[in-house]
Amino acid sequence: MKLSSSFDISWRFLRVWQRNLIVYRRIWKVNFLPPLFEPLFYLLAFGMGLSTMIGTIHYAGVDISYLTFITPAILAINIMYNAFFETTYASFVRMYYQKTFDAMMATPLSLGEVITAEIIWGATKSLFATVIMLAVLSGFGLIHYPDGLLIIPLAFLGGVAFGSVGMLFTGIVPSIDVFNLPIFLFITPMFLFSGTFFPVENLPDWAQHLALALPLTHLVRLTRHLCLGLVGVDLLLEAAYLLVFCLIFYPLALISMHRRLIQ
Amino acid sequence: MQYVIQAQSVTKVFNGFTAVNEISFKLIAGECLGLLGPNGAGKTSTIRMTYGFSPMSSGRLSVFGLDIRTHWREIKGRLGVCQQENSLDPDLTVQQNLEVFGRYFNIPAGATREKARKLLEFIALDHRRDAQVSELSGGMMRRLVLARALINDPELVILDEPTTGLDPQSRHQVWEKLENLRSEGLSILLTTHYMEEAARLCDRLIIMDHGEILVEGKPAELIIEHAGRNVVEIAQPTDELREFIRSRDLTHDDLGRRILIYGDENDQLFDIIRERFCKENCSLRGSTLEDVFLRLTGRQLRE
Ligand SMILES: Nc1ncnc2c1ncn2[C@@H]1O[C@H](COP(=O)(O)OP(=O)(O)OP(=O)(O)O)[C@@H](O)[C@H]1O
Ligand SMILES: [Mg+2]
C-alpha cells in the first residue's frame, strides 16, 4: 500500500506526451532552429577554425579528420542537452510555476504517468533534434549510411537516460537556480571529458576510469562508430550500459518526484 | 440515502503536524456541501484527500461507494476538481485547455471538441476560444477552471474557493453557473471564505477549525442556533449597558469598542436598549452566517 498509486503506470501517459507535442508544434519554428544551426556553428568553429591546426586523428584503427571525429560528439551532446534541459528547467517550470502537474493529478492520471510522459517527451525532443541534425550533417558527407540511421533510435535511448537523471534532479532541487549545480558537476564535465573533443585515451589512467562511468562517454562511442560505419558486437555492450543506466535512474526519478509532490 | 462521499475519521498529518484530525462527514447525492473555516483550518487538505491527490494518514474515505485508496482512477474519472491555485495551462489556448484536459480522461478527441465548445458557451468565453490563458482576466480564468472541471461530465465537482479574488460581477456569474449545475442534480463539495456564497449555494455546511469539525447543519438552522435571529450592534458601549447584559444573561460578544447581542425576533431587546443606553450608536439587523462563523472560530487572525 505504501507504494501508492504514483507507481501505477499505464499507456495513458501518452496523453501527457501529446500535450507536450501540441505545445512543441505551436512554436515549432523556434524548436527547429537550434538543431538546424547548431551543427553548422560547430562545423564552422571546429571545421575551419580548429581542424587546420589538428590534422587527422587516429581512432579505432583508422585515420580520420578532426571534423569527422567531433561530428558524432556534437550529435551525442545534443541528445544529452535536449533531454536533460527538458526534464530539468522545462519540467520544473511546469511542475512548480505553472502547476500543470497538479491539474493533471486531478484527472485519472497517476503521478508516475505524468513523470514517465515528461521523460519520454524529453527523449522525443532528443530524437527530433537528432533527425534534423543528421540531415544537416549528411549534407557534408559526415554520416555513414545506413549505419547512421541507428543513431535515431539511439537518440531516444540516450534521451531516456539523460531525461531520467534530469527528472531525478527536478525531484530534489529546492529552487530552479540550483540546477546550476548538477550542470556544473555533471553535465559540463561530461561535455568536456567524455571523448567528445579528444579521445578518452589522452586522459590519465584514473580519469579514463572516471570517464568510463559517465553515460555520455558511451553515447559518444556509439554515435561515433555508427557515423563511421564501424559497427561491431562490442557496440551492444555500450548500448547495454545506457539501458542499465535507464533502469536505475528512471525508478529513482519516479521516487524523487513522488516524495516531492505527494504529501 | 445515497452518499457520494463518506469520510470516516479521516486524518492528515504533515511531519508531525495534524492538519486534519479524525473528521467524519457525508455528502448526499445531489446536494451542495460547504466546507468553511479560517485560513489553515484544513479545508484544502481535506479536499485533496477526497479527490485522491494526497494520501490519508488514517481513516476511511469512499467516493461513489468506492474506496479512494484502491479505486482512485475510477473515482477521479467521475469527478471534476477546481483547485485553489490557478492551474490552467499557460502554454495552451483557452479551447486547447479544455480539449487537452479532456484527453487526460481518455475522452475521444471528437467528443471533447464538442464538449469544449458547449462549455465555452456555458461560461460565455466562446469569443475568446483562441486567446492565451494569460490574456484572460481573473474572473475569466476562474470560469475556465470551472468549465475544465466539467469536461468529463462529472457526477461530483469539488471546488476549492472558486470565487476568491473575483469582483462581485464575476462572483455572481460563477454563482449562477453553479446554481444551474446544482439544479441539474450535480453534487458539489465547496470551500469558500464568502459567507454569502455559502448561505446562497449550500444545502448543508460544515464549519471546521484546527483540523476538526465544529458544527454541521443547514445554513438557516446554524444561524438560529448559534446567532439567534437578530443582532443588536452597539458602538461605544457604556458600563451600564454591560451591567444590563450581565443581569439579563444575554448572549453576546464584547469586542471592546463594540458589543454584539444576539436575540430573538420578539424580545423587544433593541427598543429597550436604544431607549436606555444609546441614542444613535446602536443598530438592529438580521443574524448572518458570518456571525455564526466568527462566534465559533473566534476573531483572532490566523497564521
Ligand atoms: N504540504 C504541506 N506540508 C506541511 N504542512 C501543510 C501542507 N499543506 C498544508 N499544511 C498545513 O496544514 C494546515 C491546513 O492547511 P490547508 O491548506 O488544508 O488549510 P485551508 O483550510 O485550506 O486554508 P486556506 O483557507 O488558507 O486555504 C495549515 O496549517 C498548513 O500550513
Ligand atoms: Mg485552502
Side-chain angles (χ1 to χ4, degrees), chain A residues 142-218:
Chain A
L142 289 164
I143 316 288
H144 186 279
Y145 286 105
D147 307 321
L149 287 176
L150 280 174
I151 296 174
I152 296 171
L154 178 63
F156 190 80
L157 176 64
V160 172
F162 288 107
S164 297
V165 187
M167 194 49 90
L168 170 61
F169 288 124
T170 298
I172 298 168
V173 293
S175 75
I176 198 162
D177 308 312
V178 181
F179 281 130
N180 287 335
L181 211 62
I183 288 170
F184 159 71
L185 290 175
F186 178 63
I187 298 297
T188 308
M190 273 200 289
F191 171 80
L192 292 171
F193 302 113
S194 295
T196 42
F197 302 106
F198 58 87
V200 175
E201 290 72 29
N202 291 12
L203 291 168
D205 262 357
W206 62 269
Q208 280 191 40
H209 290 303
L210 259 181
L212 277 179
L214 298 173
L216 189 64
T217 307
H218 301 272

Side-chain angles (χ1 to χ4, degrees), chain B residues 124-141:
Chain B
L125 271 187
D126 33 347
H127 61 296
R128 301 298 295 272
R129 68 177 71 243
D130 295 319
Q132 290 298 303
V133 167
S134 55
E135 297 165 17
L136 301 181
S137 71
M140 290 175 176
M141 283 191 202

Side-chain angles (χ1 to χ4, degrees), chain B residues 112-158:
Chain B
T112 23
R113 187 157 311 130
E114 181 55 24
K115 183 80 193 168
R117 199 184 55 73
K118 281 193 188 140
L119 285 170
L120 285 177
E121 244 166 62
F122 175 65
I123 57 164
L125 271 187
D126 33 347
H127 61 296
R128 301 298 295 272
R129 68 177 71 243
D130 295 319
Q132 290 298 303
V133 167
S134 55
E135 297 165 17
L136 301 181
S137 71
M140 290 175 176
M141 283 191 202
R142 230 39 207 160
R143 265 144 59 199
L144 185 57
V145 172
L146 179 64
R148 194 180 64 176
L150 299 172
I151 194 79
N152 58 326
D153 282 318
E155 297 155 56
L156 162 71
V157 284
I158 296 181

Side-chain angles (χ1 to χ4, degrees), chain A residues 263, chain B residues 14-15 17-20 37-46 48 84 160-161 193 303:
Chain A
Q263 293 188 330
Chain B
F14 294 110
N15 341 297
F17 171 78
T18 308
V20 177
N39 291 143
K43 304 181 296 295
T44 299
S45 305
T46 303
R48 285 188 165 173
Q84 182 171 354
D160 201 349
E161 301 190 22
H193 289 299
E303 280 155 69

Side-chain angles (χ1 to χ4, degrees), chain A residues 59-70:
Chain A
Y59 181 80
V62 282
D63 280 325
I64 53 175
S65 72
Y66 188 59
L67 205 57
T68 313
F69 179 77
I70 62 151

